[in-house]
Amino acid sequence: QSVLTQPPSVSAAPGQKVTISCSGSSSNIGNNYVSWYQHLPGTAPRLLIYDNNKRPSGIPDRFSGSKSATSATLGITGLQTGDEADYYCATWDSSLSAGVFGGGTQVTVL
Amino acid sequence: EVQVLESGGGLVQPGGSLRLSCAASGFTFSSCAMSWVRQAPGMGLEWVSGLSGSGGATYYADSVKGRFTISRDNSKNTLYLQMNNLRAEDTAVYYCAKEGPTRHFDFDYWGQGALVSVSS
């Protein structure tokens, strides 16, 4: 059971938008920055969003992040078949003095 | 070009030990916090352990505390994970990850992973 809660899966048609939620608590999301990763098993995870809503260079603006209180959200617009992957949120947990990842969300392009 | 490359994975019996290494290049290694993150078969990503650039501060997930030790040799640009008393549930791909410049627990570069299998 992950400290951060994500929906197991989301799906949408090409060109549409999906949002992925990440729910935590005051000891993690509520008082720390959130990052988001795209991962295809067997490959290196890819940083999509850091500091809640910033994109590293090379990440298209179709990907966006936001945070409110103890929850964070990743949005993907203009969905493409290449976006099919697992997506994870992550943050530091000040009570645990440990890093935590969400359980992951599988994105399917219909 | 930033690169991190894991090595040292393999098959080990329950109760055994293994040491993973992560060779880094293309950035000032001693200035960057590093972590190990793993993915067990069919499961999600799990943060395992992390340490500061100097190596003076170390952190562990409860699942490995007391069994795993993270360390680094900044003269060799190498990160290590010593894994003792291994259990079947430690079977996973282990990734080495470099923390980004904001130092807010975000990982901007990852290795390709090293497979650790714990089985008799």
Side-chain angles (χ1 to χ4, degrees), chain B residues 95-117:
Chain B
Y95 296 98
C96 168
K98 168 190 170 295
E99 190 168 82
T102 63
R103 303 184 182 185
H104 291 156
F105 194 76
D106 53 83
F107 303 107
D108 56 358
Y109 289 93
W110 298 64
Q112 291 298 312
L115 177 61
V116 172
S117 296

Side-chain angles (χ1 to χ4, degrees), chain A:
Chain A
Q1 191 86 13
S2 301
V3 171
L4 305 179
T5 301
Q6 297 182 231
S9 63
V10 297
S11 60
Q16 298 301 302
K17 175 181 180 178
V18 295
T19 59
I20 301 171
S21 60
C22 176
S23 179
S25 68
S26 59
S27 66
N28 42 67
I29 292 178
N31 282 284
N32 292 289
Y33 290 96
V34 176
S35 54
W36 289 90
Y37 303 86
Q38 179 190 61
H39 187 218
L40 287 165
T43 69
R46 177 190 183 195
L47 176 65
L48 296 176
I49 298 290
Y50 68 99
D51 285 2
N52 306 327
N53 55 18
K54 296 182 174 61
R55 285 187 312 276
S57 61
I59 301 299
D61 59 7
R62 300 188 300 107
F63 295 91
S64 64
S66 64
K67 188 182 104 168
S68 178
T70 59
S71 291
T73 302
L74 175 72
I76 310 173
T77 60
L79 206 58
Q80 303 174 0
T81 55
D83 296 332
E84 287 200 327
D86 298 321
Y87 292 80
Y88 296 87
C89 59
T91 189
W92 184 255
D93 191 297
S94 303
S95 294
L96 298 174
S97 290
V100 288
F101 278 84
T105 299
Q106 183 178 54
V107 169
T108 300
V109 181
L110 301 173

Side-chain angles (χ1 to χ4, degrees), chain B residues 9-28:
Chain B
L11 175 64
V12 61
Q13 293 187 337
S17 297
L18 207 60
R19 188 176 83 157
L20 299 180
S21 298
C22 171
S25 61
F27 63 99
T28 306

Side-chain angles (χ1 to χ4, degrees), chain B residues 27-74:
Chain B
F27 63 99
T28 306
F29 183 68
S30 59
S31 296
C32 294
M34 302 289 294
S35 277
W36 290 97
V37 177
R38 69 184 180 183
Q39 184 178 39
M43 304 294 283
L45 298 176
E46 178 190 15
W47 179 85
V48 173
S49 181
L51 84 168
S52 61
S54 66
T58 58
Y59 306 92
Y60 298 93
D62 284 345
S63 57
V64 306
K65 201 171 292 183
R67 301 186 299 120
F68 289 13
T69 302
I70 191 171
S71 63
R72 63 195 297 160
D73 186 337
N74 286 342

Side-chain angles (χ1 to χ4, degrees), chain B residues 71-101:
Chain B
S71 63
R72 63 195 297 160
D73 186 337
N74 286 342
S75 68
K76 296 182 178 179
N77 286 358
T78 302
L79 176 73
Y80 303 101
L81 186 66
Q82 178 66 44
M83 304 182 290
N84 297 332
N85 192 19
L86 282 160
R87 307 166 179 167
E89 53 265 36
D90 295 317
T91 293
V93 174
Y94 285 73
Y95 296 98
C96 168
K98 168 190 170 295
E99 190 168 82

